[in-house]
Amino acid sequence: RNLLDMDTFSKSDPVVVLFVQGSGSSEWKEFGRTEVIDNTLNPDFVRKFVLDYYFEEKQNLRFDVVVFGAQDFLGQAFVALGEVIGAQRGRLERPLTGVPGKRCGTILLLAEELSNCRDIVTMQLCANKLDKKDFFGKSDPFLVFYRSNEDGTFTICHKTEVVKNTLNPVWQPFTIPVRALCNGDYDRTVKIDVYDWDRDGSHDFIGEFATSYRELSRAQSQFTVYEVLNPRKKCKKKKYVNSGTVTLLSFSVESEFTFVDYIRGGTQLNFTVAIDFTASNGLPSQPTSLHYASPYQLSAYALALKAVGEIIQDYDSDKLFPAYGFGAKVPPDGKISHQFPLNNNAENPSCAGIEGVLESYLQSLRTVQLYGPTNFAPVINQVAGTAAQVTDGSQYHVLLIITDGVISDMLQTKEAIVTASALPMSIIIVGVGPAEFEAMEELDGDEVRLSSRGRFAERDIVQFVPFRDYVDDSGNQVLSMARLAKDVLAEIPEQLLSYMKTRDIKPRRADPE
């Protein structure tokens, strides 16, 4: 909009060049160009750029607007892909800069997710007059579905349950992603085998039939009956008709929603930080302390906070982050606190942006006394209390806890996490320093679902990583922090989706343009 006019006798002929930056790299590489639009200062470009999107990475983009042919520079804009996706309705307008003393106009960016066959099918089948295979009883039939591959081979994609002792089974409805059934190709062959189950695993083949997704989908308006044929029997017996029939009773399709659907529908990510101020970190003024920041390098705490926070802030519209410390004696009376606001404002513990959190963190280091013990439960319960106030899917909370290790209130923390697992929230724990972090691995719940007093966590909401795994020997801090952010944030989209799914919350429709 309102580009600079560089042509003498007409308006500019603009083209936009997109550059991308590799993860952890400062080098810009050209990704692609739009078409040229002649003689206009308000071009609407048609050509799209198709990019792979990763929530957990900072994907920096640069848009240069130039005049075609003359290559006159009209301005540029820098933006992270997450900012465009996190913007309302996936629309972001940015001023163009780079021509000294001139107003360069603006660039309007629109992001949309390409549909990658995200549909899920639910269907139910029954059979009639199947061949009897068992000597003393009827058959125990089940179905096996196969997807055909490009090379003509078949891959198994679903098995129904076994229905015992009947030649007229009715199988339970089941769901399967369309991707798994036909790889998104609606006309690709789907082969279905009918077997009689045997305890020893040598299941008897009753017969088979073939169909396609397109054919199956017609059953939404009518029953579809398939003949089950056994090729060997067909060759042997002249009067062979079939080995029974299978009827498709019902077939329905639902779209599987993605993380981007919810973000575009207005779901806000609310980011809260909790930092460990226990004495085991060492005196902040000493170079051996995990809180020590030299003039040349941030502390491990500050690095972890920046790495994670700079990505997540793109999805938080107000950029205000509540930030707490725990395990310190706090002025004026020196009481131990496990959730003191870093900005010293109990009424409003929010800091402006990640820089505001860093500022308040460094200020707290100068005013509180590092002490103990290491209690997580109070700050988890604090965020859970906020998350419990809005559970309609419009708000999702992410708590980042940065700690040096051994947890003192394990039982209470497990109880707090199990309770929080039913709420719209996730917890990221970054362990700094040389301690052993076995307790954190248990909280992570990847291997064994976390439980407390006989109650199991509804979903896995904790992601733990040890900071030391990301200290790059080559000294490339940018790359190692990009890897840290990638690993701790990778599970957030799935965790958000699991909450929405268990509550049957659908994304809100983005307002029409």
Side-chain angles (χ1 to χ4, degrees):
R1 299 285 179 269
N2 306 315
L3 296 176
L4 287 171
D5 193 356
M6 291 297 198
D7 287 3
T8 313
F9 300 110
S10 64
K11 307 233 173 21
S12 296
D13 304 331
V15 59
V16 176
V17 187
L18 169 61
F19 294 86
V20 296
Q21 216 175 28
S23 180
S25 160
S26 54
E27 187 188 341
W28 290 101
K29 290 184 178 165
E30 182 175 328
F31 183 85
R33 295 172 175 238
T34 63
E35 73 279 17
V36 179
I37 298 187
D38 294 341
N39 196 25
T40 178
L41 304 182
N42 294 288
D44 274 330
F45 298 101
V46 174
R47 186 170 300 159
K48 295 178 168 73
F49 299 115
V50 179
L51 295 151
D52 289 327
Y53 160 68
Y54 303 99
F55 165 75
E56 65 273 16
E57 288 182 22
K58 187 87 172 169
Q59 293 174 269
N60 291 321
L61 310 177
R62 184 182 102 207
F63 295 89
D64 287 7
V65 187
V66 295
V67 175
F68 180 69
Q71 294 301 312
D72 288 329
F73 181 68
L74 299 178
Q76 64 184 182
F78 295 86
V79 65
L81 181 56
E83 287 181 87
V84 191
I85 288 169
Q88 207 174 4
R89 303 202 306 269
R91 288 170 69 99
L92 186 71
E93 192 163 3
R94 276 287 161 89
L96 292 165
T97 60
V99 181
K102 296 275 178 90
R103 281 192 172 173
C104 303
T106 62
I107 187 167
L108 179 65
L109 306 167
L110 290 124
E112 62 178 4
E113 187 173 25
L114 291 179
S115 171
N116 185 18
C117 191
R118 296 188 268 123
D119 294 345
I120 288 187
V121 165
T122 302
M123 62 176 114
Q124 183 176 23
L125 301 102
C126 71
N128 195 34
K129 297 182 179 170
L130 293 176
D131 284 353
K132 179 177 178 300
K133 290 286 184 181
D134 290 353
F135 196 66
F136 292 113
K138 301 189 170 96
S139 296
D140 305 321
F142 67 96
L143 302 176
V144 183
F145 286 69
Y146 300 88
R147 175 183 72 241
S148 63
N149 303 317
E150 299 288 343
D151 60 1
T153 59
F154 286 90
T155 301
I156 187 167
C157 58
H158 182 74
K159 269 185 195 174
T160 66
E161 79 283 9
V162 177
V163 182
K164 290 288 188 73
N165 199 28
T166 178
L167 303 179
N168 303 298
V170 179
W171 290 281
Q172 293 291 322
F174 67 90
T175 58
I176 183 170
V178 173
R179 274 193 318 274
L181 192 63
C182 64
N183 218 13
D185 177 353
Y186 292 175
D187 296 305
R188 187 176 289 213
T189 300
V190 176
K191 186 164 82 80
I192 300 160
D193 286 355
V194 187
Y195 282 97
D196 166 41
W197 177 84
D198 281 335
R199 191 182 300 280
D200 64 3
S202 62
H203 311 309
D204 300 318
F205 178 68
I206 294 175
E208 65 186 10
F209 61 97
T211 182
S212 66
Y213 173 86
R214 196 179 299 283
E215 198 175 295
L216 288 165
S217 66
R218 293 192 187 118
Q220 290 177 90
S221 54
Q222 64 194 57
F223 283 164
T224 308
V225 181
Y226 296 96
E227 279 196 300
V228 177
L229 300 175
N230 186 325
R232 287 179 66 182
K233 274 193 168 184
K234 199 174 179 184
C235 290
K236 279 184 183 175
K237 296 182 180 178
K238 281 185 180 175
K239 289 184 179 175
Y240 176 78
V241 179
N242 59 41
S243 294
T245 59
V246 168
T247 303
L248 182 58
L249 296 174
S250 65
F251 184 97
S252 60
V253 187
E254 265 187 12
S255 261
E256 186 180 25
F257 298 115
T258 67
F259 176 72
V260 174
D261 290 330
Y262 287 97
I263 296 299
R264 288 202 64 182
T267 296
Q268 285 291 308
L269 295 190
N270 299 292
F271 185 46
T272 304
V273 180
I275 293 178
D276 184 334
F277 281 78
T278 54
S280 50
N281 284 285
L283 274 174
S285 56
Q286 300 297 315
T288 51
S289 169
L290 295 168
H291 282 297
Y292 178 73
S294 76
Y296 315 105
Q297 191 176 337
L298 293 168
S299 69
Y301 278 87
L303 280 170
L305 173 61
K306 255 176 90 77
V308 178
E310 283 183 350
I311 289 174
I312 219 160
Q313 69 179 354
D314 290 341
Y315 302 88
D316 190 319
S317 58
D318 63 10
K319 308 277 187 281
L320 295 173
F321 308 124
Y324 299 94
F326 58 90
K329 286 187 169 179
V330 182
D333 51 9
K335 273 191 180 160
I336 297 167
S337 173
H338 296 293
Q339 57 195 88
F340 60 90
L342 295 186
N343 65 1
N344 206 24
N345 181 347
E347 295 300 307
N348 181 12
S350 295
C351 305
I354 294 305
E355 292 308 318
V357 177
L358 278 169
E359 217 173 279
S360 298
Y361 155 65
L362 295 171
Q363 182 59 36
S364 287
L365 281 176
R366 292 191 281 273
T367 56
V368 305
Q369 181 193 343
L370 272 57
Y371 206 71
T374 308
N375 288 358
F376 284 7
V379 78
I380 293 172
N381 288 330
Q382 167 97 17
V383 176
T386 309
Q389 290 169 18
V390 182
T391 56
D392 63 358
S394 62
Q395 307 289 327
Y396 193 86
H397 295 262
V398 178
L399 168 61
L400 170 65
I401 300 174
I402 314 176
T403 179
D404 77 333
V406 186
I407 184 166
S408 311
D409 65 340
M410 189 65 174
L411 291 176
Q412 293 89 333
T413 295
K414 284 164 81 167
E415 181 72 9
I417 291 171
V418 168
T419 301
S421 70
L423 296 168
M425 71 178 279
S426 291
I427 300 167
I428 295 166
I429 304 172
V430 178
V432 295
E436 292 302 320
F437 292 112
E438 288 102 332
M440 305 300 161
E441 299 285 5
E442 185 186 344
L443 297 179
D444 194 320
D446 277 348
E447 303 300 324
V448 180
R449 183 61 60 92
L450 188 71
S451 65
S452 169
R453 298 193 298 185
R455 273 196 317 149
F456 280 86
E458 197 174 292
R459 19 190 280 283
D460 173 20
I461 62 166
V462 179
Q463 172 71 343
F464 166 73
V465 297
F467 185 83
R468 58 172 171 254
D469 289 1
Y470 300 88
V471 180
D472 198 309
D473 297 337
S474 66
N476 184 344
Q477 202 124 58
V478 176
L479 183 61
S480 51
M481 288 308 96
R483 277 178 44 238
L484 170 75
K486 186 176 160 75
D487 284 0
V488 296
L489 292 172
E491 289 187 14
I492 298 289
E494 275 307 316
Q495 290 176 359
L496 180 144
L497 287 173
S498 74
Y499 173 78
M500 301 298 188
K501 218 170 190 175
T502 55
R503 297 292 178 280
D504 197 27
I505 297 170
K506 296 187 170 35
R508 296 174 184 193
R509 291 253 172 257
D511 298 332
E513 300 299 318

